Amino acid sequence: MDRKPSFSIIGAGKVGSALGVLLQELGYLPAAVYSRTFSHSKRLADQLQVAAAPHPAAAAAAAELVFITTTDREIAAMAAAIARQGGCRPGQIVFHASGALASDVLAPVRAQGAWAVSMHPLQSFTSTAGARANLPGSCFALEGDEPALERAIEIVKDLKGRYFVIQPEDKPLYHAAAVIASNYLVSLVHLSASIYRQLGLDEEQAMDALFPLIQGTINNIARSGPAGALTGPVARADGATLRGHLRALQKMDWRTQQAYRAMGLYTVGVAMENGNLTPNEAVAISNIFLEVDNHEQKSNYSRLPAYETGRHPHYHANRLRLSDGHLGRCFRYRRHPGGGLPR
């Protein structure tokens, strides 16, 4: 069996601490730990039975693999400090775990001959214990130098995870989608619970009431996909119910009302995608959310994207047939040779 390479952790927060412990359990060789907060550095270093390095370059110099798991705003400064103080060398691989930043932020270590890669887990972490439990089996977005990608893929496979490889310019859009799926899901649940609190339920009672619905919806999405799982008044073109909601929501603050309208408008597109709404119904329902009177709705297709009205769009999008037989807009991501997301 080939020897696993040595690694250092720079940034001993939730993700860095969990990753360090997991890599050690998988046979990778811990070399050093650095964190701006010495108590964090010492705690992880003691767990891994290595030294707490005095500065990031010392930690980086000790290992073949360097994981910068600081906050996003610190990554560039850490890479610059490592390069400036001679902590990187040709053949070494430097990782960062940011979802929003590309591997370009590691340009200083690249200039010294090291390879750079971003390895972002599509996962939510609220504690070190949670990160340690959730990292194995997660999906990772990878982007960077080819030799570094090969090593990142080995690590993902060791973690029993999945991965896909993206282009550096697509990191912000990729991260926006992840924020919607995770952070904004939290906000949507909070919004729903806050409305129930207006009815006299406390937060625990609201969550006890809502959680089975939330879990059931997630189960339906897993079985049928997001469009196939859609139910409710938008999917039924039930304008009377939606108007009733909007009247009732006038008791709430403006952010709640605007959030409901915005999500309703987006849901019209989902309902058209799964065939629940005709173009005429979609326009009528959209105009409810837009507060447009009935007499203004005649042939008002301009309020919907062209693809949702049945008309031909005015742009030319490359189209390709995906592996599941559906047509979709061309995208740049490709499964990396020898791996990728399993179907």
Side-chain angles (χ1 to χ4, degrees), residues 21-332:
V21 171
L22 288 167
L23 288 174
Q24 184 181 48
E25 291 175 352
L26 291 167
Y28 292 81
L29 306 174
V33 174
Y34 171 80
S35 194
R36 286 203 311 170
T37 303
F38 181 74
S39 60
H40 295 174
S41 182
K42 184 71 163 57
R43 182 172 61 241
L44 180 58
D46 288 347
Q47 280 185 275
L48 301 180
Q49 297 183 321
V50 296
H55 52 78
E64 298 162 270
L65 310 180
V66 180
F67 292 88
I68 301 178
T69 50
T70 62
T71 62
D72 286 12
R73 65 179 177 271
E74 296 176 298
I75 293 172
M78 287 296 178
I82 290 168
R84 185 172 58 251
Q85 298 174 17
C88 51
R89 57 189 180 272
Q92 191 179 38
I93 300 176
V94 181
F95 298 74
H96 76 67
S98 167
L101 299 176
S103 60
D104 295 348
V105 73
L106 301 175
V109 301
R110 271 188 176 138
Q112 300 299 314
W115 290 313
V117 63
S118 66
M119 188 177 89
H120 178 252
L122 262 171
Q123 190 53 266
S124 176
F125 308 111
T126 58
S127 67
T128 300
R132 184 176 175 181
N134 291 346
L135 268 173
S138 293
C139 185
F140 291 78
L142 309 178
E143 173 274 319
D145 301 325
E146 192 65 30
L149 283 173
E150 293 174 6
R151 178 61 72 179
I153 289 169
E154 289 179 17
I155 293 171
V156 171
K157 289 180 177 179
D158 285 342
L159 290 168
K160 308 300 182 187
R162 296 171 293 164
Y163 70 90
F164 54 93
V165 176
I166 65 176
Q167 299 301 313
E169 63 269 23
D170 292 331
K171 285 297 291 285
L173 198 58
Y174 151 80
H175 193 240
V179 165
I180 292 167
S182 178
N183 308 151
Y184 294 173
L185 175 60
V186 172
S187 296
L188 282 173
V189 174
H190 183 277
L191 175 63
S192 183
S194 72
I195 295 173
Y196 274 14
R197 290 199 298 273
Q198 290 289 316
L199 305 180
L201 280 68
D202 62 28
E203 184 170 348
E204 183 179 356
Q205 290 170 327
M207 288 310 304
D208 283 346
L210 288 167
F211 196 78
L213 172 63
I214 296 165
Q215 188 63 63
T217 302
I218 290 173
N219 293 342
N220 290 341
I221 292 170
R223 284 192 293 267
S224 306
L230 182 65
T231 61
V234 172
R236 298 192 301 268
D238 185 352
T241 293
L242 295 171
R243 290 190 187 92
H245 291 174
L246 290 169
R247 285 193 297 271
L249 286 169
Q250 289 175 4
K251 304 172 186 176
M252 307 290 292
D253 66 76
W254 66 270
R255 290 177 301 176
T256 299
Q257 297 176 51
Q258 290 302 312
Y260 184 88
R261 290 181 186 279
M263 288 307 303
L265 280 169
Y266 189 87
T267 303
V268 170
V270 180
M272 288 207 67
E273 182 180 325
N274 68 14
N276 286 126
L277 298 182
T278 66
N280 284 340
E281 289 172 332
V283 170
I285 296 301
S286 292
N287 286 339
I288 291 172
F289 294 119
L290 292 165
E291 296 183 300
V292 178
D293 294 334
N294 289 336
H295 70 273
E296 296 182 32
Q297 294 183 14
K298 296 178 181 179
S299 302
N300 188 10
Y301 289 99
S302 64
R303 294 187 177 274
L304 292 176
Y307 74 90
E308 292 184 1
T309 65
R311 298 189 301 167
H312 293 295
H314 295 296
Y315 58 84
H316 300 284
N318 294 328
R319 297 175 72 83
L320 54 84
R321 188 166 294 279
L322 304 178
S323 58
D324 57 4
H326 294 294
L327 284 174
R329 290 190 65 183
C330 183
F331 57 94
R332 287 187 291 273

